[in-house]
Amino acid sequence: SWEEPKMKKTVSVLLAAVLLLALAACGSAPAKDSYTVGICQLVQHPALDAATQGFKDALTAKLGDAVVFDEQNAQGDSATCSVIATGFVSNQYDLIMANATPALLAAVSATDTIPILGTSVTDFASALAVDAAADGSLGMNVSGTSDGVPAQLYADCVMELVPDAKKVSILYCSA
Protein backbone atom coordinates (compact mmCIF):
# COMPACT_ATOMS: atom_id res chain seq x y z
CA SER A 1 0.00 0.00 0.00
CA TRP A 2 1.03 3.61 -0.58
CA GLU A 3 2.69 5.36 2.36
CA GLU A 4 2.97 9.15 2.25
CA PRO A 5 6.24 9.47 4.27
CA LYS A 6 7.92 6.85 2.09
CA MET A 7 6.73 8.64 -1.06
CA LYS A 8 7.98 12.02 0.22
CA LYS A 9 11.41 10.55 0.96
CA THR A 10 11.57 8.87 -2.44
CA VAL A 11 10.63 12.07 -4.28
CA SER A 12 13.14 14.06 -2.23
CA VAL A 13 15.98 11.66 -2.94
CA LEU A 14 15.09 11.62 -6.65
CA LEU A 15 15.06 15.41 -6.83
CA ALA A 16 18.41 15.62 -5.02
CA ALA A 17 19.94 13.04 -7.35
CA VAL A 18 18.62 14.86 -10.41
CA LEU A 19 20.03 18.11 -9.03
CA LEU A 20 23.47 16.64 -8.54
CA LEU A 21 23.41 15.27 -12.07
CA ALA A 22 22.18 18.61 -13.43
CA LEU A 23 24.91 20.53 -11.66
CA ALA A 24 27.53 18.08 -12.92
CA ALA A 25 26.20 18.36 -16.47
CA CYS A 26 26.19 22.16 -16.58
CA GLY A 27 29.38 22.29 -18.54
CA SER A 28 32.96 21.57 -17.70
CA ALA A 29 33.17 24.15 -14.94
CA PRO A 30 35.03 22.97 -11.85
CA ALA A 31 33.08 22.14 -8.71
CA LYS A 32 32.08 25.21 -6.74
CA ASP A 33 32.48 25.84 -3.04
CA SER A 34 28.78 26.57 -2.75
CA TYR A 35 25.58 26.44 -4.75
CA THR A 36 22.59 28.75 -4.60
CA VAL A 37 19.23 27.15 -5.28
CA GLY A 38 16.14 29.24 -5.87
CA ILE A 39 12.90 27.57 -4.86
CA CYS A 40 9.64 28.92 -6.26
CA GLN A 41 6.56 27.32 -4.75
CA LEU A 42 3.17 28.32 -6.13
CA VAL A 43 1.21 28.24 -2.88
CA GLN A 44 1.45 27.05 0.69
CA HIS A 45 -0.09 23.59 0.87
CA PRO A 46 0.88 20.57 2.99
CA ALA A 47 1.81 18.41 -0.02
CA LEU A 48 3.81 21.15 -1.73
CA ASP A 49 5.42 22.17 1.56
CA ALA A 50 6.45 18.55 2.17
CA ALA A 51 7.97 18.25 -1.32
CA THR A 52 9.96 21.46 -0.84
CA GLN A 53 11.16 20.47 2.63
CA GLY A 54 12.09 16.97 1.49
CA PHE A 55 14.09 18.42 -1.40
CA LYS A 56 15.92 20.80 0.91
CA ASP A 57 16.60 18.07 3.48
CA ALA A 58 17.93 15.62 0.89
CA LEU A 59 20.10 18.22 -0.82
CA THR A 60 21.46 19.48 2.49
CA ALA A 61 22.26 15.87 3.45
CA LYS A 62 24.31 15.55 0.24
CA LEU A 63 25.93 19.00 0.08
CA GLY A 64 25.81 20.22 3.68
CA ASP A 65 26.70 23.87 4.06
CA ALA A 66 27.68 24.06 0.37
CA VAL A 67 24.07 24.74 -0.59
CA VAL A 68 22.14 27.93 0.10
CA PHE A 69 18.39 28.12 -0.53
CA ASP A 70 16.32 31.14 -1.49
CA GLU A 71 12.81 29.83 -0.88
CA GLN A 72 9.92 31.99 -2.08
CA ASN A 73 6.18 31.40 -2.18
CA ALA A 74 4.03 33.01 -4.87
CA GLN A 75 0.87 32.88 -2.71
CA GLY A 76 -1.09 31.29 -5.56
CA ASP A 77 -0.29 34.00 -8.10
CA SER A 78 1.25 32.89 -11.41
CA ALA A 79 2.48 36.42 -12.15
CA THR A 80 4.40 36.36 -8.87
CA CYS A 81 6.01 33.08 -9.97
CA SER A 82 7.36 34.97 -12.99
CA VAL A 83 8.76 37.76 -10.82
CA ILE A 84 10.41 35.21 -8.52
CA ALA A 85 11.92 33.20 -11.40
CA THR A 86 13.23 36.35 -13.08
CA GLY A 87 14.91 37.31 -9.80
CA PHE A 88 16.59 33.90 -9.59
CA VAL A 89 17.91 34.34 -13.13
CA SER A 90 19.09 37.90 -12.46
CA ASN A 91 21.00 36.65 -9.43
CA GLN A 92 22.53 33.86 -11.55
CA TYR A 93 21.45 31.05 -9.23
CA ASP A 94 22.85 27.61 -9.92
CA LEU A 95 19.49 25.85 -10.01
CA ILE A 96 15.79 26.64 -9.84
CA MET A 97 13.41 24.23 -8.15
CA ALA A 98 9.86 24.91 -9.34
CA ASN A 99 7.12 23.47 -7.16
CA ALA A 100 3.84 23.21 -9.16
CA THR A 101 3.11 23.73 -12.84
CA PRO A 102 2.79 27.57 -12.84
CA ALA A 103 6.16 27.85 -11.07
CA LEU A 104 7.69 25.53 -13.68
CA LEU A 105 6.24 27.52 -16.57
CA ALA A 106 7.56 30.77 -15.07
CA ALA A 107 11.05 29.31 -14.63
CA VAL A 108 11.11 27.95 -18.19
CA SER A 109 10.07 31.38 -19.50
CA ALA A 110 12.80 33.05 -17.47
CA THR A 111 15.81 30.93 -18.52
CA ASP A 112 17.02 28.35 -20.97
CA THR A 113 20.43 27.98 -19.36
CA ILE A 114 19.94 27.52 -15.61
CA PRO A 115 18.90 23.94 -14.76
CA ILE A 116 15.29 23.69 -13.59
CA LEU A 117 13.90 20.89 -11.46
CA GLY A 118 10.16 20.62 -11.26
CA THR A 119 7.99 18.79 -8.80
CA SER A 120 4.23 18.58 -8.27
CA VAL A 121 3.84 18.62 -12.06
CA THR A 122 1.65 15.84 -13.44
CA ASP A 123 2.77 15.88 -17.08
CA PHE A 124 5.91 17.83 -17.94
CA ALA A 125 5.64 17.39 -21.71
CA SER A 126 2.03 18.60 -21.83
CA ALA A 127 2.67 21.49 -19.45
CA LEU A 128 5.62 22.65 -21.54
CA ALA A 129 3.95 21.88 -24.88
CA VAL A 130 6.89 19.76 -26.03
CA ASP A 131 7.21 16.22 -27.26
CA ALA A 132 9.18 14.05 -24.87
CA ALA A 133 11.79 11.73 -26.36
CA ALA A 134 11.40 7.97 -26.03
CA ASP A 135 13.57 8.08 -22.89
CA GLY A 136 11.34 10.78 -21.38
CA SER A 137 13.84 13.63 -21.85
CA LEU A 138 12.44 16.99 -22.87
CA GLY A 139 15.40 18.34 -24.82
CA MET A 140 15.69 21.37 -22.58
CA ASN A 141 17.09 22.49 -19.22
CA VAL A 142 14.19 20.90 -17.32
CA SER A 143 13.93 17.71 -15.32
CA GLY A 144 12.18 16.61 -12.16
CA THR A 145 9.59 14.30 -10.69
CA SER A 146 5.97 13.90 -11.64
CA ASP A 147 3.07 13.61 -9.23
CA GLY A 148 1.09 11.71 -11.85
CA VAL A 149 0.21 8.19 -10.80
CA PRO A 150 -0.63 5.57 -13.43
CA ALA A 151 -4.27 4.51 -13.36
CA GLN A 152 -3.31 0.87 -12.73
CA LEU A 153 -1.74 1.85 -9.40
CA TYR A 154 -5.03 3.48 -8.38
CA ALA A 155 -6.91 0.33 -9.37
CA ASP A 156 -4.47 -1.91 -7.48
CA CYS A 157 -4.80 0.26 -4.37
CA VAL A 158 -8.60 0.16 -4.50
CA MET A 159 -8.59 -3.61 -4.94
CA GLU A 160 -6.26 -3.96 -1.96
CA LEU A 161 -8.24 -1.63 0.30
CA VAL A 162 -11.77 -2.53 -0.83
CA PRO A 163 -11.58 -5.93 -2.55
CA ASP A 164 -15.38 -6.32 -2.72
CA ALA A 165 -15.98 -3.00 -4.53
CA LYS A 166 -18.20 -3.34 -7.60
CA LYS A 167 -17.94 0.23 -8.91
CA VAL A 168 -15.29 2.88 -8.30
CA SER A 169 -15.24 6.53 -9.33
CA ILE A 170 -12.05 8.55 -9.39
CA LEU A 171 -12.30 12.32 -9.57
CA TYR A 172 -9.76 14.07 -11.74
CA CYS A 173 -9.21 17.74 -12.43
CA SER A 174 -6.73 18.73 -15.13
CA ALA A 175 -6.52 22.24 -13.66
Side-chain angles (χ1 to χ4, degrees), residues 23-105:
L23 290 174
C26 285
S28 57
K32 295 173 56 168
D33 291 333
S34 68
Y35 298 95
T36 303
V37 177
I39 299 174
C40 179
Q41 183 172 312
L42 175 63
V43 66
Q44 187 174 0
H45 181 278
L48 300 181
D49 296 345
T52 294
Q53 189 60 51
F55 169 76
K56 289 170 54 180
D57 291 347
L59 198 53
T60 300
K62 296 285 184 193
L63 297 176
D65 292 337
V67 63
V68 175
F69 299 101
D70 180 354
E71 183 178 349
Q72 297 191 37
N73 190 302
Q75 302 301 319
D77 183 16
S78 297
T80 302
C81 286
S82 295
V83 172
I84 292 169
T86 301
F88 293 162
V89 173
S90 295
N91 290 321
Q92 300 178 345
Y93 285 1
D94 297 295
L95 177 99
I96 297 171
M97 196 276 255
N99 193 341
T101 302
L104 176 70
L105 295 174

